[in-house]
Amino acid sequence: MLLDVDGMKCGGCVRAVERRLLEQPGVSQASVNLVTRTAWIGLDPLQDTPAEDPATALIASLRSLGFEAHRRDQSGLDPSRGEREQQRRWRQEWRQLIVALSLMLVSVLGHLAQGGHLPPALMALPGVPRLGALGFHALVASVALLGPGRGILVRGARDAWQRTPSMDTLVGLGMGSAYLASLVAYLRPASGWPCFFNEPVMLLGFVLLGRFLEERARNRTGQALEQLVRLQPDSALLLLGDGPPREVRVGGLRPGDRVRLLPGDRVPVDGEVVEGHSAVDVSSLTGEPLPLEAGPGSELMAGMLNLQAPLELEVRRTGPESTLARIIALVEQAQARKAPIQSLADRVAGRFSVAVLLLALATFVFWWQWGTRLWPQVLMGAGHGAHGLLGAAATTPFSLALQLAIAVLVVACPCALGLATPTAITVGSGLAARSGLLFRGGDAIEMAARLESVLFDKTGTLTLGRPLVTAVLPAGGGDPAGAAGDALIQLAASLEQHTRHPLAHALLQEAQCRGLALAEVTDSRTQVGSGVEGRLPGQEGLSRVGRPGWLQQQGLPLPAELEPLLAQLESEGATVLLVASQAAVLGLVAVQDQPRADAAQALTDLGGMGLRLGVLSGDRREPVLQLGDRLGLPSSGLAWELDPQQKLEHILRWRQQGAVAMVGDGINDAPALAAADLGIAVGTGTQIAQDTADLVILGDRLESLVEALRLARRTLAKVKQNLLWAFGYNLIVLPIAAGALLPGFGLLLSPPLAALLMAVSSITVVVNALLLHGRP
C-alpha cells in the first residue's frame, strides 16, 4: 500500500510517521520517503486488521499526529492531478517567501540608518513616526511571525506537544525566543534584555528561501518518474464497427476493444497488432535503440511510439494492469523502500532534534553563567541596541547566550540527514526506469552496488533461448544449400510440425526461411526424449527424425562419412538430429542455441568491474563448456546438468565469497533468483521469474545489466557522499554555533547566518544527487 503524506519537513518527521505506522495493527513494514513524501506500508496477512479499510485507519492515525495523508490512486495514471497539487503548493510557498523577503528588506533598510533611526522614506509612512524605530521593527517582526511564519510556529508547537520535535520546532523556538526577548526589551527597557527584532525576520526569510529552493531542486529528483507517467496518452481512437474512429479517454477502454494508432501516436494500452505494419520506438521503456518492426501478432506496451504507418490494436491490458502502470508502481515502491545504509541516518534523525534542544539549552546556560566570566573579551563594545545586518551586537552575557542558543537551534540540519539517502535513491531508480531497469527498492540498489559475483543461467539468458539450425549435412555428400539440403529440412520440418518442442521450432523456422512447403503427415507419433516418426507422401514406410541413439535402436546406423561430423558438432555443443526414411539415414541436422549478440561484450565489461562470473545451467556438459569457451568464461565457474535444488547449493557456495547475483529468465530459475543476494530477471523471461527478482531488465540486451550495476554503484557513492556531508556539516557547525571558536578566534555565528547555512546544507544534498543525471 502506498500513501501520500503531506507536512513532512525533516528526518524527525519521517521517523515519527514510520513509528506511528508501525504501531498500527496489521502493519509489518513501513518505509517513508522524505523526497517523494510517500509511505510504503506492508501489511501482514496473518495478523488481524480493522474491519474497515486499513488505509482509512492509517490515514486517521497520521492525521492525529498532524500529517495529512491519502492513498495513492492506482486505478489510472493522472499526471495532471499531481502537477496541479504541486503548482498549488508552489504558489503558496512563493507567496509566503515574497512576503517574508519583503519584510526582511524593510527590516534591513531600517537598520542601515545609524543610531537606529529610520530612513526618511520609512518615516514618511503613516503612523511610523509615532511608533519610533524600535516600535516599527517590532511591528515588522510581528507581521512576519503571524503571517508567513505562522505555519512554522504552529507545526513546531504541535510536534513538540506530540513529543516528536522537528525542524519546525527548532526554527520556531529560535524565532519565538528572539522575538519574545526583543518584545520584553522593547516594553521594559530597564530589564536589560537584548532587543533584536531584525533577527527573527531575517531568520524566517532565509529559512523560507532555503525551503523554496530545496523544494524546486527536490522536484527535479522525481522528473524521471513524471516522464514515465507522461508516456501514456489521455485519449485513444476507438474503432466501432464500420464507422469512423471515436476519440475516447484511455480509462474507458476494455480488453477486446480495438483502437487505431496513427504515426506519431503513443500506444495507449497494452495490446496486440491485428492489422498494419510499422516501426515502433520502444526506447522509452526498454532502452532499446533500434525500433521494433511491428506487424500482426506483435505485442505492444503502453508508452511505445508508433513511427511510420497506421496500426490497429486489440486491447489486452488497461489501467493498473498495463505494463507501463506496473513499471511506475515498481519505481514508486523502489523509491519508498529504504536502503540499509539509511538506517544509521534514520536512528540519528529520530533523536536529533531532542539532542539539539539540549545542546541549545546547555549553550545558553554556559555562556550566560560562566562563558563571559572566563572570556570577558567576547562581549562586543557596541552600545545597547546596536544592530548589524546579520545580527545584533551582544553586550551582555544574557544577550550573547541567547544569540548563541538561537544559532544552535537554527543551524542544525536534520533535513540533510533525512534527504541524504532518498534523494540519491529517487534519482537513481528514476534514471534506471527510463533505461528499462526496474529495481525493487533502495535495498536492491545498494546490494547491486556491493556485488562480488554474478551467476547466469544459460538458456534464454546468455543465449537467445531459441535454437537455430546451424548445419545441414545430407548423406552422400549432397549440397546442404541445394536440393539435397532442402529435401532433408522439408522432411524433418514436416514430421515436427505438430509438436511444440524447441527443436521443432528451429526446423520449422529453417523451412520457412528456405521457402519450403510442409507435407501432410499421417500416423504421427512422438517418442518422448527421442524423436518423431510418421508417414509422408512419396515415402515408403515410416520416416523419422530424432537423436542418433534412437535411430540406431531402430536399426538405422549412421553412414560412415557422417560419424566424424557428428562427433565434431556434438563437441561444439550442438544438438544433432538424424533424418531417416524407412530404409536408411538421409542426413543430419545440427541445432544450437546461439549466444546473444552482446553477451561477450557484457561479460567482458562485468569482469572489468571486478566481478567474478559463472554459469549455472541445466543443459548438457558440452553446450555449457562450448558457450563458456566462446564467451571467455573460466571452466571453474561453469556448472551443468543442474536441477533447481542443485542451483541453490551452488549459490550458497558462491555466497561464501561475497554477495552474489543470479541472472535468469525461466520458471526453474525462480528459486535461485530468490536465494541469491540479488535476483535479476531479463524482460523476456516468465512472469514468475520477474516476480521473484529484485531487478527486472526490460528488453533482451545483456549490456543493460552492465548499465544497471554501474548506475547502482554511482547511486551508492552519492548516498555515501550525502551522508558524509550531512553528518560532517552538523558535527562541524554545531560546535561553531555554540561558540567553540568565539574565545580564540572571535568567530560568532549569528542566527540569520546560521539559517542561511542550514538552507545551503539541505540544498547541497539534493543538488549532489541530481549530479547523477549528468554522468555517463
Side-chain angles (χ1 to χ4, degrees):
M1 182 191 304
L2 199 63
L3 298 181
D4 290 309
V5 184
D6 295 328
M8 295 187 296
K9 299 295 182 183
C10 64
C13 300
V14 171
R15 185 69 174 173
V17 171
E18 284 187 347
R19 188 163 57 238
R20 176 58 62 90
L21 289 173
L22 289 171
E23 291 172 353
Q24 305 309 306
V27 175
S28 59
Q29 300 179 66
S31 181
V32 179
N33 189 316
L34 180 60
V35 177
T36 59
R37 295 189 176 92
T38 56
W40 178 78
I41 299 105
L43 300 177
D44 189 347
L46 300 180
Q47 293 188 20
D48 294 332
T49 56
E52 61 180 346
D53 179 14
T56 303
L58 295 175
I59 291 171
S61 175
L62 292 181
R63 186 176 291 116
S64 67
L65 193 61
F67 298 97
E68 290 296 326
H70 60 272
R71 188 168 185 171
R72 176 69 60 87
D73 183 12
Q74 298 290 342
S75 61
L77 306 176
D78 184 11
S80 59
R81 175 182 175 183
E83 291 175 358
R84 289 194 301 268
E85 178 64 24
Q86 185 181 76
Q87 291 297 330
R88 183 196 63 79
R89 187 167 59 246
W90 279 355
R91 284 194 297 269
Q92 180 181 1
E93 292 178 355
W94 177 251
R95 286 195 298 268
Q96 292 178 343
L97 176 62
I98 291 299
V99 173
L101 292 181
S102 300
L103 293 173
M104 186 175 74
L105 179 62
V106 170
S107 180
V108 169
L109 289 175
H111 288 284
L112 287 174
Q114 294 294 327
H117 298 294
L118 296 176
L122 294 179
M123 290 296 296
L125 296 176
V128 171
R130 289 195 303 272
L131 288 173
L134 285 179
F136 175 77
H137 289 304
L139 177 62
V140 171
S142 300
V143 173
L145 265 63
L146 294 177
R150 180 175 178 274
I152 294 178
L153 294 174
V154 171
R155 289 191 299 268
R158 180 200 63 202
D159 295 340
W161 179 258
Q162 295 280 356
R163 292 185 293 181
T164 55
S166 64
M167 189 69 220
D168 285 336
T169 305
L170 302 181
V171 174
L173 185 58
M175 292 191 305
S177 57
Y179 176 79
L180 291 176
S182 301
L183 190 62
V184 171
Y186 172 63
L187 297 177
R188 299 184 59 186
S191 65
W193 283 33
C195 185
F196 36 49
F197 281 116
N198 67 315
E199 293 204 357
V201 178
M202 298 181 69
L203 196 157
L204 176 64
F206 284 136
V207 167
L208 292 181
L209 176 62
R211 288 188 178 181
F212 182 79
L213 295 177
E214 176 191 322
E215 179 69 22
R216 301 288 291 193
R218 187 190 301 184
N219 176 63
R220 289 191 57 198
T221 65
Q223 283 184 347
L225 181 58
E226 294 176 6
Q227 291 171 358
L228 281 175
V229 173
R230 293 192 184 100
L231 289 178
Q232 178 169 357
D234 294 327
S235 60
L237 295 176
L238 176 64
L239 296 175
L240 298 172
D242 297 330
R246 304 289 184 181
E247 185 171 340
V248 298
R249 290 190 59 80
V250 171
L253 296 175
R254 296 293 180 266
D257 290 342
R258 289 198 175 191
V259 296
R260 177 166 294 169
L261 202 62
L262 300 177
D265 286 351
R266 290 276 179 189
V267 180
V269 293
D270 290 0
E272 181 179 329
V273 177
V274 294
E275 186 176 326
H277 293 80
S278 181
V280 178
D281 182 3
V282 300
S283 60
S284 55
L285 292 180
T286 67
E288 293 280 357
L290 298 178
L292 170 70
E293 294 297 329
S298 299
E299 291 192 5
L300 302 181
M301 294 185 294
M304 293 179 174
L305 178 65
N306 185 24
L307 298 176
Q308 291 180 335
L311 294 172
E312 285 191 14
L313 207 67
E314 182 173 320
V315 178
R316 289 286 184 263
R317 292 176 296 274
T318 63
E321 300 300 321
S322 70
T323 302
L324 179 60
R326 287 188 283 117
I327 289 174
I328 292 172
L330 278 176
V331 176
E332 289 176 336
Q333 178 182 331
Q335 293 177 351
R337 281 174 51 181
K338 295 184 178 181
I341 196 174
Q342 191 177 349
S343 58
L344 175 60
D346 286 345
R347 289 195 299 271
V348 173
R351 302 170 176 84
F352 185 79
S353 297
V354 175
V356 171
L357 288 172
L358 294 176
L359 177 60
L361 178 61
T363 300
F364 176 79
V365 172
F366 174 80
W367 286 105
W368 183 26
Q369 296 295 325
W370 302 292
T372 53
R373 297 177 185 176
L374 295 174
W375 302 288
Q377 73 275 13
V378 299
L379 293 177
M380 301 179 65
H384 176 72
H387 291 75
L389 287 180
L390 289 180
T395 58
T396 66
F398 182 82
S399 62
L400 177 64
L402 186 59
Q403 277 190 301
L404 292 176
I406 293 173
V408 169
L409 290 171
V410 175
V411 80
C413 194
C415 295
L417 288 171
L419 292 170
T421 300
T423 49
I425 295 298
T426 299
V427 174
S429 59
L431 287 175
R434 287 172 55 185
S435 300
L437 311 169
L438 306 180
F439 287 97
R440 295 282 182 181
D443 49 351
I445 293 179
E446 181 176 344
M447 181 54 66
R450 300 183 184 278
L451 288 177
E452 297 187 26
S453 304
V454 179
L455 304 177
F456 294 86
D457 176 50
K458 171 184 168 288
T459 304
T461 304
L462 290 176
T463 66
L464 297 174
R466 300 186 300 273
L468 301 175
V469 173
T470 57
V472 180
L473 300 175
D479 183 8
D486 288 349
L488 200 64
I489 291 295
Q490 185 178 39
L491 190 152
S494 297
L495 289 171
E496 294 275 11
Q497 62 182 304
H498 298 304
T499 68
R500 296 184 178 275
H501 196 278
L503 299 180
H505 176 78
L507 294 171
L508 293 170
Q509 184 176 5
E510 181 68 16
Q512 184 179 11
C513 292
R514 293 180 179 233
L516 303 176
L518 301 182
E520 291 293 331
V521 184
T522 59
D523 196 20
S524 176
R525 294 189 297 272
T526 299
Q527 305 296 327
V528 179
S530 298
V532 179
E533 61 184 10
R535 300 182 185 276
L536 295 172
Q539 296 285 340
E540 294 185 3
L542 290 174
S543 299
R544 296 180 176 86
V545 57
R547 299 191 181 278
W550 176 58
L551 266 69
Q552 289 178 1
Q553 293 174 5
Q554 305 302 316
L556 297 169
L558 184 67
E561 71 271 16
L562 294 181
E563 289 182 359
L565 298 175
L566 172 64
Q568 179 182 349
L569 290 170
E570 288 185 337
S571 68
E572 294 174 353
T575 298
V576 180
L577 302 175
L578 297 187
V579 183
S581 64
Q582 176 72 29
V585 172
L586 303 178
L588 60 82
V589 178
V591 179
Q592 193 168 10
D593 193 5
Q594 298 296 304
R596 294 183 184 270
D598 61 346
Q601 184 60 49
L603 294 179
T604 299
D605 293 341
L606 291 173
M609 295 170 63
L611 296 168
R612 294 186 293 270
L613 306 176
V615 175
L616 304 181
S617 176
D619 205 348
R620 296 176 294 110
R621 177 178 183 274
E622 291 78 8
V624 173
L625 291 175
Q626 176 66 20
L627 180 67
D629 184 61
R630 292 182 64 176
L631 298 180
L633 294 172
S635 58
S636 59
L638 306 179
W640 49 85
E641 297 180 0
L642 302 178
D643 58 29
Q645 180 60 38
Q646 290 172 324
K647 286 186 178 182
L648 291 181
E649 296 171 358
H650 276 75
I651 288 175
L652 293 177
R653 285 198 290 269
W654 278 81
R655 289 183 67 179
Q656 296 175 2
Q657 306 177 52
V660 177
M662 177 68 193
V663 188
D665 77 322
I667 292 177
N668 64 327
D669 296 322
L673 296 182
D677 296 295
L678 185 77
I680 305 174
V682 295
T684 54
T686 60
Q687 186 64 43
I688 188 171
Q690 296 187 26
D691 290 342
T692 309
D694 303 298
L695 167 61
V696 177
I697 299 176
L698 301 179
D700 57 0
R701 294 189 309 130
L702 275 181
E703 290 180 351
S704 297
L705 174 59
V706 181
E707 298 173 13
L709 299 188
R710 285 176 175 167
L711 179 58
R713 290 187 176 186
R714 287 164 43 207
T715 301
L716 186 61
K718 288 299 179 186
V719 169
K720 292 179 178 179
Q721 292 168 13
N722 283 350
L723 288 174
L724 179 63
W725 167 261
F727 281 108
Y729 164 84
N730 285 292
L731 288 174
I732 292 174
V733 300
L734 280 174
I736 295 176
L741 300 182
L742 185 57
F745 301 91
L747 182 58
L748 173 67
L749 194 61
S750 66
L753 182 58
L756 186 61
L757 288 176
M758 182 269 293
V760 170
S761 175
S762 297
I763 295 171
T764 300
V765 168
V766 179
V767 171
N768 186 49
L770 288 172
L771 293 178
L772 281 169
H773 281 287
R775 292 191 55 185

